[in-house]
Amino acid sequence: MQKTVSEERVRDQLRTVIDPELGLDIVELGLVYDIKVEQDGRHVDVTFSLTSPMCPVGDMIQEQVENEVLSIEGVETVDAHLSFEPHWNPDMISPAAKLFFGR
């Protein structure tokens, strides 16, 4: 039986995408800005950011976001949108990640 594709399911899957510079996943780092599940779960839009516009691994992270979302059963297409609005800052990090960094 296929599970329903939900924003929470997509967010959980995106926890496997690690920012190589900081060593934490993009969800905990607050880099996932928006998730929209459409067409009964067959299409997902993800808006995400990077810790810096000059991030040298931005293309790799975008590819990982797309691949991880497509790995969810039932998802056929994904659009991963890179956005710097708003610019990411350390205040966007989850409470657990702040503990990791000693903040």
Side-chain angles (χ1 to χ4, degrees):
M1 185 172 135
Q2 179 177 320
K3 291 182 181 178
T4 302
V5 178
S6 65
E7 179 181 328
E8 182 179 343
R9 174 70 181 94
V10 173
R11 190 173 305 280
D12 285 346
Q13 190 66 34
L14 290 175
R15 292 180 189 281
T16 64
V17 179
I18 305 297
D19 180 299
E21 293 177 309
L22 298 177
L24 284 177
D25 70 79
I26 64 172
V27 174
E28 290 297 320
L29 288 172
L31 293 169
V32 177
Y33 288 176
D34 191 42
I35 298 169
K36 288 189 175 78
V37 177
E38 300 171 341
Q39 300 172 10
D40 296 324
R42 292 188 311 275
H43 178 79
V44 176
D45 283 317
V46 177
T47 302
F48 72 102
S49 193
L50 302 170
T51 56
S52 162
M54 304 304 291
C55 180
V57 294
D59 290 341
M60 182 188 79
I61 290 175
Q62 181 162 358
E63 185 176 323
Q64 287 180 328
V65 166
E66 292 169 355
N67 289 338
E68 289 303 323
V69 175
L70 285 171
S71 75
I72 300 170
E73 185 179 352
V75 175
E76 297 172 5
T77 58
V78 61
D79 285 327
H81 308 278
L82 177 60
S83 176
F84 291 103
E85 292 296 325
H87 279 293
W88 179 87
N89 68 72
D91 292 337
M92 297 169 142
I93 295 174
S94 74
K98 285 179 181 176
L99 286 174
F100 175 84
F101 287 117
R103 294 184 60 139

